[in-house]
Amino acid sequence: TSTTTTTTHETESDPLACVKEVIKGLGSSANPIPVTVLSGFLGAGKTTLLSHILANKKGLRVALIVNDMAEINIDASIVKQQGKLTQSEEKMVELTNGCICCTLREDLFQSIASLAAEERFDYLLIESTGISEPMPVAETFTFEDESGASLSQIARLDTMVTVVDCSSFMKELSAVESLRDRGWHADEEDQRTVAHLLCDQIEFANVVVLNKCDLVDNDDKEKIKKILQEFNPKAKVIQSTHSKVDPSAILGTKLFDMSSAAEHPLWLKEARVGEHQPETEEYGIGSFIFHTTKPFHPARLAAVTGDILAKKGVLGNVVRAKGVIWIATSAGQNLQGTASLAGTQFTVLPGTPWWATVLKSEWPEGLQEDIKPLWHEPYGDRQSELVVIGLHMNKDKVKEALSTALVTEEEFEKGPSLWESFENPYSADWDAYLEMEEEHHNHSHDADGNCMHEA
């Protein structure tokens, strides 16, 4: 078995230098190798799926990159012990003691560059860690430096796959623990929760493998499928037992499209552009979009979301909410709020500036026309749009409850001069987050699972 082990290292050299060398060496003959990335919780069945694909690859010459947060790459050891690799057709690179979306990002560049330079592989399979979220891994493939060099010139992201454990899905969706509670945290500043990570992994997938279907009854299985479809309407859901999946379902699908994925998380973007088809609400699963051009009163929003988390009244059946919100605070006038509810945690963190705060001379070409439907004077594009998903949820009642968290007509008329005096339960989190973004030069994950890198 041909294997290579790489561990975390720091360097001030050009992170894409190795990629540029390969591009130069291959010249016009460069044919980007297609890539499938496997994500999913620890124990969901990623490594079993990897082994199954290797045993049924039908002549494909496959290279593997197996990432593990530990110093000893257990998943890679399992693949080797199962004897699924052959010297002539496959090669495995072990990336250990770090995360490929951040601390091992440069190692990922180097590993893929080395594999591409060999010009003998038809496909690349990457198994990410159980705590990795797919979005930053995907962004690694589209990162360009000032010269225009990009990993995508030698490796083409083909399919993002998330493996879900059917037997524990509902439990994990409502999990109270943080990743730190389970010892899954990426670093000392990782504040993500189990439920947030699960949602992030599902929402950015092209294919969701619903594994261990033999451990649940048919009704529960169908209910979980409906929830997955609400979370990510465009993902293909495949049922499996012992991770037995036809390789063609996750290899060479060409389902990944970064240009559309980068615009917005797929499930929210799909709803935003109005393409969502009315769901059957079978098994009591439903969703709606809460849209308003009034800001949320910060204290009232905290009270309402507290009722959701405490499973009180009509709000108790909400299982997921995510979107962009406008908060009636001084910071909220300048920055979008990124809201996410999963399991037993609700977070509101600062996002990008509202376009209304940016000089029009600095707007991208075409934005002024595109933003017209969202524009309302005197507040411009400031607004809130939340996708809310629930089980046996009374949509009208939930909308009414969310509306009580908005500023009143009188407060709206008085404007920002009054809003600045509102009690703001989120101020400490926002201050800490913005300070960390400004001062922190290394990678970390915030409570909503976002990767942060030095600007």
Side-chain angles (χ1 to χ4, degrees):
T1 299
S2 176
T3 63
T4 303
T5 301
T6 306
T7 54
T8 308
H9 66 274
E10 295 183 5
T11 176
E12 296 182 0
S13 61
D14 178 3
L16 284 175
C18 53
V19 175
K20 293 175 185 175
E21 286 181 17
V22 175
I23 294 171
K24 183 178 179 181
L26 297 177
S28 59
S29 66
N31 186 22
I33 183 173
V35 180
T36 287
V37 177
L38 302 180
S39 300
F41 271 17
L42 299 163
K46 297 189 304 298
T47 305
T48 305
L49 176 59
L50 192 63
S51 297
H52 173 72
I53 296 299
L54 287 176
N56 297 274
K57 55 188 172 49
K58 300 175 183 177
L60 276 179
R61 295 170 298 172
V62 180
L64 309 177
I65 294 179
V66 181
N67 182 207
D68 199 305
M69 289 299 298
E71 292 184 15
I72 299 175
N73 198 322
I74 300 299
D75 288 346
S77 299
I78 291 171
V79 173
K80 283 186 283 189
Q81 288 167 5
Q82 291 179 346
K84 302 299 186 184
L85 289 173
T86 61
Q87 178 74 29
S88 61
E89 293 185 351
E90 294 91 22
K91 180 175 182 178
M92 178 164 61
V93 178
E94 303 173 32
L95 298 183
T96 62
N97 202 24
C99 176
I100 57 174
C101 67
C102 43
T103 56
L104 294 185
R105 192 184 193 193
E106 186 173 336
D107 293 327
L108 182 63
F109 286 149
Q110 292 176 343
S111 298
I112 294 177
S114 175
L115 293 169
E118 294 187 37
E119 293 189 274
R120 65 184 182 95
F121 299 110
D122 303 312
Y123 214 91
L124 172 60
L125 266 170
I126 299 176
E127 180 189 350
S128 58
T129 70
I131 64 168
S132 175
E133 67 275 3
M135 171 76 85
V137 177
E139 288 174 340
T140 300
F141 284 82
T142 59
F143 171 77
E144 286 189 9
D145 68 3
E146 294 177 355
S147 71
S150 169
L151 187 60
S152 63
Q153 291 171 271
I154 60 172
R156 173 182 61 80
L157 194 52
D158 182 89
T159 314
M160 301 294 293
V161 178
T162 293
V163 184
V164 172
D165 181 347
C166 195
S167 66
S168 65
F169 177 78
M170 297 303 294
K171 175 186 172 184
E172 302 291 27
L173 187 61
S174 58
V176 178
E177 304 110 304
S178 68
L179 297 186
R180 178 176 299 280
D181 292 335
R182 294 192 182 182
W184 292 2
H185 51 294
D187 54 38
E188 291 305 311
E189 297 183 3
D190 192 342
Q191 300 176 29
R192 294 173 296 167
T193 65
V194 170
H196 271 104
L197 176 58
L198 176 62
C199 292
D200 286 340
Q201 290 181 343
I202 292 168
E203 288 162 3
F204 200 72
N206 304 124
V207 177
V208 177
V209 176
L210 189 55
N211 194 33
K212 304 186 183 182
C213 285
D214 56 318
L215 300 181
V216 298
D217 61 34
N218 193 59
D219 282 349
D220 285 344
K221 181 174 63 179
E222 291 302 316
K223 180 186 291 185
I224 293 168
K225 282 173 60 181
K226 292 294 181 183
I227 294 174
L228 294 174
Q229 288 162 2
E230 288 290 347
F231 280 14
N232 188 342
K234 292 188 177 181
K236 182 178 180 181
V237 179
I238 301 172
Q239 300 177 49
S240 74
T241 298
H242 303 302
S243 297
K244 291 183 178 179
V245 173
D246 188 329
S248 65
I250 68 169
L251 304 181
T253 69
K254 297 185 179 178
L255 289 173
F256 182 80
D257 176 15
M258 190 63 200
S259 61
S260 60
E263 291 174 15
H264 211 278
L266 288 180
W267 65 282
L268 185 55
K269 174 180 180 293
E270 184 266 3
R272 179 189 294 273
V273 298
E275 296 173 355
H276 181 60
Q277 301 299 315
E279 64 285 330
T280 63
E281 304 241 349
E282 189 177 5
Y283 301 101
I285 300 158
S287 65
F288 68 88
I289 300 171
F290 183 79
H291 179 264
T292 177
T293 52
K294 278 185 181 178
F296 280 102
H297 187 295
R300 291 179 201 139
L301 177 63
V304 166
T305 54
D307 286 346
I308 295 176
L309 300 179
K311 302 299 181 186
K312 287 185 179 179
V314 298
L315 295 171
N317 294 326
V318 174
V319 297
R320 179 69 167 140
K322 190 173 184 180
V324 172
I325 64 173
W326 178 20
I327 305 182
T329 63
S330 55
Q333 280 297 97
N334 298 318
L335 299 173
Q336 299 177 5
T338 302
S340 178
L341 181 144
T344 57
Q345 187 180 47
F346 177 75
T347 58
V348 181
L349 295 172
T352 56
W354 297 108
W355 285 112
T357 67
V358 179
L359 293 173
K360 288 190 176 182
S361 60
E362 298 179 11
W363 285 13
E365 185 178 350
L367 176 64
Q368 188 162 353
E369 187 65 28
D370 292 342
I371 209 171
K372 275 184 180 179
L374 306 178
W375 203 263
H376 61 105
E377 293 294 348
Y379 296 110
D381 60 320
R382 297 178 181 91
Q383 59 195 287
S384 297
E385 193 167 82
L386 279 172
V387 172
V388 182
I389 300 172
L391 293 169
H392 304 291
M393 174 178 63
N394 186 321
K395 294 180 184 179
D396 291 337
K397 293 292 186 182
V398 174
K399 288 177 183 177
E400 286 178 16
L402 289 172
S403 295
T404 65
L406 302 174
V407 297
T408 64
E409 285 291 346
E410 183 179 355
E411 290 167 339
F412 188 62
E413 290 297 324
K414 291 184 178 179
S417 59
L418 171 67
W419 305 346
E420 291 176 7
S421 67
F422 289 162
E423 177 190 353
N424 182 10
Y426 306 109
S427 60
D429 288 342
W430 277 48
D431 290 345
Y433 185 92
L434 292 171
E435 182 180 350
M436 183 168 61
E437 271 212 323
E438 182 178 349
E439 297 180 359
H440 188 47
H441 297 291
N442 298 316
H443 168 273
S444 69
H445 292 86
D446 63 46
D448 196 25
N450 299 311
C451 267
M452 296 182 297
H453 302 275
E454 181 180 359

